[in-house]
Amino acid sequence: MAKLTFSIGGIHPADSKLARDCKIEVLPLPPKVYVSMFQHLGAQAKPVVAVGDKVKTGQIIAEPGGFISAYVHSPVSGTVKAIGPRKDLAGFNVVHIEIDVEGDEWAEGIDLSPELVTAIPEDREFILDRIKMCGVVGLGGATFPTHVKLNPPPGKTAECLILNGTECEPYLTSDFRILLERTDEIIVGAAIMQKVLGGCQCVIGIEENKPEAIAAARASVQKLGFPNMRVAVLKKRYPQGGEKQLIDAVMHRQVKSGGLPIDVGAVVQNVGTSLAVYEAVQKNRPLITNVMTFTGNIVPAGRQKNYLFRIGMPLSFIAEQAGGVPEVTVKLVSGGPMMGKAIANLDAATVKGTSSILCLGEETRRHPETPCISCCRCADACPMGLEPFLLKKLYAVGDTAALEQNAVQDCIECGCCQYSCPAYVPLLDNIRMAKAQVMGIIRARNAKK
Amino acid sequence: MIVSPSPHLHSPASTNSIMRDVIIALLPATIVMLLFYGWASLLVLAVACVGCVGLEYAIARWLMHKPELFNGWSAGVTGLLLALNLPPTTPWWVVVIGALVAIGVAKMSFGGLGQNLFNPAITARVFLLISFPVYMTDWDLTGGFISSVDAISGATPLSIIKEGLMSGMTLDEIMEVNGINASTIIRDLGGSGGEISGLALVAGFIYLWIRKVVKPWIPLSILLTVALISGVFHAVNPQQFAGMEINIISGGMLLGALFMATDYVTSPSSKWGGVIFGVGIGVIVMMIRYFGSYPEGMSFAILIMNCFVPLINRAFHQKKYGRA
């Protein structure tokens, strides 16, 4: 079968998967953890413990602050030391629960045995409740609460669950590693989500540059024998893992502007989320661990790492475990080099969605902007079919009506335009600001209706 | 350490690397020009390139007080294209005037790189063609390092045909009297410096295409339109209208279609906009060649269609995701 890919735009950055052959290592516990109340998209969680309380690993310490929100659990056992603002990785103050680590005693009812449980519970509500109570959120980047996404509004049915194993960002290897080391659990997790969605088909999308993961997933699907499930090989192309792009690649359908994947019958979940769903439903294990990559082109070969971390661990603690951040580092990034956030504060704590500490050297330094030569590489690269050069000009003159007409609100902020621009024009910087402005106008207009 | 928004990586391509690629792509044609036209064309080339680069630097630095507007590679491309458009016998001071018009008038007065409405090299060529028609139409092949078999000094095939038709001869008579046929044109007849080397130009274009610097829509639509119009007219009246091969391989057709009409700044941004642009050039150039008073109309056609680019860009956009 021909390899699948999305139909508009895209780029081919060097894939730099330097840590691909490094097995997942379990990090030791730090003396203190700081658990953020902003681990997910939506409303901040509300602490349900008080200073001085003793907590056990996996115990609920915060509850959802709204419909779109999630439970947060203690990643360690110990004493709540403080509840208050602390700086996140971008330097913003967010409420954190500080816990003094006193060992690792798990709460009652959590199954820590390694045995694979393949029997899927019959009751859909039970499954959704487990996913919600275990605080599972999407681990592909957006950290959208999973129980909300797996519960489509009435009248909408899922035709296809797409499991996102593309990991199209350069450098990142955590999804690749769990696809190799936790294959069966991921596949059972997918079958659980299939069940919740009413028995739709499931396609596991993996890019062609991960042949070992493709083989492992195929073998596991065959071995476990879940119906309506298959592995699809995708071309290597960024941003293949973008939700809209992946739906286009796998189902040949496009989500309408302003619409949701479920409108075209699609639900997209990351492979990491699938593993978290497995642990939640089959083992009653809350989402307090995840896998991240410590990497970068300036990190020596032996020090590239894939780590299993607990939420709340300071990034600086993890960097120390990996032998420290190289001296020649110009920029630290959490997430991929295309969409990740620059780390302003290395003392920030990990959250559920943390996927990497990426140490970038001189090549990340921005060049001075030069005049646009209308080469249209930005428009050719845009996976949404936008014209970034035009949006930048419209933003400069403040024409919000034209910006909306030219679909600035459809921008997924993948960075393809700015990556491709030979004149080093900071296109995405401008488009982000334009998008925020136009989205504000659209929201205000909708509120009036 | 730096903190800035994503993306944190950049592709290896830059404006300078693109301009370098264009220069590499023009090298085969330049070498052919030097071989056929000799030392005289080397002088034209040197004056054009030094003139364009020097003038851009001087204007950016001392007239506009914005030295950052100077881009040597881009000015070099303009100089090279200008040289390929000028006969080898062009006096050096005419070349300097050409450089001044290209850089000073067509490019820098609009705001420099990326801002110009008209292709600088073509603007200069047309300016010189109107101001110094004698210098601009004398293609002397006698100074070349490679001696041409049927070296004809002076007029280009298209102007020979035009003059012959105006004096009442039929196309067959003109061809016979002057010893012109399709193969002599492609091999060794005069045209603008780079034009005698169709194959070299095509090779250079293919390099740019492979390097993904240019897309083929504009040249293809120009050449197909020219082929279609000349094919039909020639079939209707073979004695009045020159045929497909002559129209495609002679004059500024290939240099214009492959390297001048594809200039990023002065061509439409979308694929279908590019096709409209190309068809427009093809129609205009054939109307000028068949019915106008000039033997050649490629430069005029490109300049006229340059004017329409802002309008074409308004009408044609990329295909967007999830929108009808």
Side-chain angles (χ1 to χ4, degrees), chain B residues 12 48 90 100 130 139 142 159 174 219 233 235 267 270 276 282 317 321-322:
Chain B
T90 316
L100 189 63
I130 296 169
W139 295 86
T142 52
S159 50
I174 301 166
F233 275 76
S267 65
S270 58
I276 298 288
H317 291 277
Y321 179 103

Side-chain angles (χ1 to χ4, degrees), chain A residues 372-396:
Chain A
C372 168
I373 53 168
S374 308
C375 66
C376 292
R377 286 177 186 219
C378 56
D380 290 340
C382 180
M384 297 305 288
L386 311 182
E387 289 153 303
F389 65 92
L390 177 66
L391 299 176
K392 198 224 164 201
K393 282 179 195 159
L394 292 174
Y395 178 64

Side-chain angles (χ1 to χ4, degrees), chain A residues 244 331 337 364 380 410 421, chain B residues 4 6 8 10 215 321 323:
Chain A
K244 294 191 167 83
K331 194 194 267 179
T364 188
D380 290 340
D410 288 2
C421 179
Chain B
S4 60
S6 65
H8 307 291
H10 193 274
K215 277 168 270 178
Y321 179 103
R323 284 172 183 254

Side-chain angles (χ1 to χ4, degrees), chain A residues 1-8 159-160 162 201 203 230 232-235 237 240 243-256 261 264-266, chain B residues 319 321-322:
Chain A
M1 208 173 85
K3 285 170 194 143
L4 302 165
T5 191
F6 53 98
S7 56
I8 302 173
E159 290 169 51
C160 184
I162 303 174
Q201 66 157 329
V203 177
R230 66 186 169 87
V233 181
L234 299 155
K235 274 188 191 150
R237 190 159 164 227
Q240 190 100 255
E243 198 167 52
K244 294 191 167 83
Q245 281 62 43
L246 195 56
I247 292 168
D248 186 14
V250 172
M251 299 172 73
H252 310 297
R253 293 181 190 172
Q254 296 189 347
V255 183
K256 287 226 157 49
V264 294
Chain B
K319 185 174 169 286
Y321 179 103

Side-chain angles (χ1 to χ4, degrees), chain B residues 180-244:
Chain B
I180 307 172
N181 60 48
S183 67
T184 57
I185 291 176
I186 203 163
R187 210 171 64 241
D188 54 18
L189 268 182
S192 295
E195 300 166 7
I196 54 169
S197 45
L199 286 177
L201 287 169
V202 171
F205 182 80
I206 289 172
Y207 170 77
L208 285 188
W209 188 4
I210 291 170
R211 297 272 297 158
K212 294 190 177 160
V213 172
V214 289
K215 277 168 270 178
W217 317 123
I218 294 174
L220 277 182
S221 51
I222 295 175
L223 297 175
L224 285 175
T225 307
V226 166
L228 187 73
I229 294 178
S230 53
V232 169
F233 275 76
H234 187 67
V236 170
N237 187 350
Q239 291 309 322
Q240 183 67 35
F241 302 111
M244 215 183 280

